[in-house]
């Protein structure tokens, strides 16, 4: 199995005031794809999942895939 790790950032508040402290919450998600399905999982993130995260106010920080095992 191969995995895709997605780090997301959920922000609350409007962000209008520079001096205002905006609470943040980081979430680490790990997705496992069956053999040969990693490219399909990546495509689903590109075409669907990232839009869903954005619609809920989540900002994506990074995506990682393992180089070995």
């Amino acid at each position: 199995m191969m995995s895709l790790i997605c780090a997301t950032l959920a922000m609350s508040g409007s962000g209008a005031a520079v001096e205002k402290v905006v609470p943040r919450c980081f979430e680490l998600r790990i997705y496992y794809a069956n053999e040969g399905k990693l490219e399909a999982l990546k495509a689903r993130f590109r075409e669907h999942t990232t839009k869903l995260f954005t619609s809920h106010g989540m900002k994506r920080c990074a995506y990682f895939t393992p180089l070995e095992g």
Side-chain angles (χ1 to χ4, degrees):
M1 276 191 179
M2 295 296 294
S3 61
L4 172 70
I5 300 173
C6 169
T8 59
L9 168 64
M11 298 187 75
S12 61
S14 66
V18 175
E19 61 277 342
K20 180 180 176 185
V21 176
V22 179
R24 298 186 296 172
C25 174
F26 291 89
E27 177 176 317
L28 177 65
R29 294 177 174 211
I30 301 175
Y31 298 87
Y32 295 95
N34 290 328
E35 256 338 284
K37 299 290 186 178
L38 184 59
E39 291 306 314
L41 180 61
K42 289 179 184 179
R44 179 150 179 87
F45 267 80
R46 277 192 309 272
E47 299 163 11
H48 175 73
T49 308
T50 54
K51 293 174 189 166
L52 184 63
F53 286 165
T54 301
S55 72
H56 289 283
M58 297 169 73
K59 297 183 180 185
R60 291 143 341 264
C61 297
Y63 292 94
F64 305 94
T65 53
L67 296 176
E68 296 179 5

